[in-house]
Amino acid sequence: MINTNLKTKIKGEIKQIVDIKNTATAYSSGLVKVFTTSAMIALMEKTCIESVSDYLDKKESTVGINPHYSCDFLCVDTSRLTMQLYKCITMS
């Protein structure tokens, strides 16, 4: 059954400080201390679930199935990162 409480255009935002724990060197996915793509995708998913959680029943959750992103900047240690959810799509 599809949750009819979810609508498109639900917005959300999470801010995170980039530190050594979420850099490419810490994830062993690169040699540079930049915010890793793995951490960025996890932050995107966290933003999504927290943005729609008020619309979900207790036994419901969300699943990221096709993330699209564009990262035109580098975040180094102690950079501030804001992830904004600007599109929420429900599937039937």
Side-chain angles (χ1 to χ4, degrees), residues 30-91:
L31 302 175
V32 186
K33 293 179 183 177
V34 296
F35 194 61
T36 185
T37 303
S38 303
M40 182 179 67
I41 297 294
L43 186 59
M44 290 167 61
E45 291 180 344
K46 181 179 179 181
T47 305
C48 289
I49 188 65
E50 289 188 12
S51 298
V52 301
S53 63
D54 289 342
Y55 301 95
L56 300 176
D57 292 332
K58 290 181 181 181
K59 294 183 179 181
E60 294 179 314
S61 187
T62 64
V63 176
I65 57 170
N66 195 11
H68 294 270
Y69 67 91
S70 174
C71 188
D72 300 326
F73 58 90
L74 297 176
C75 296
V76 295
D77 294 344
T78 68
S79 296
R80 296 187 187 279
L81 178 69
T82 300
M83 185 66 63
Q84 294 182 327
L85 172 69
Y86 65 93
K87 186 175 185 183
C88 181
I89 300 174
T90 59
M91 303 178 81

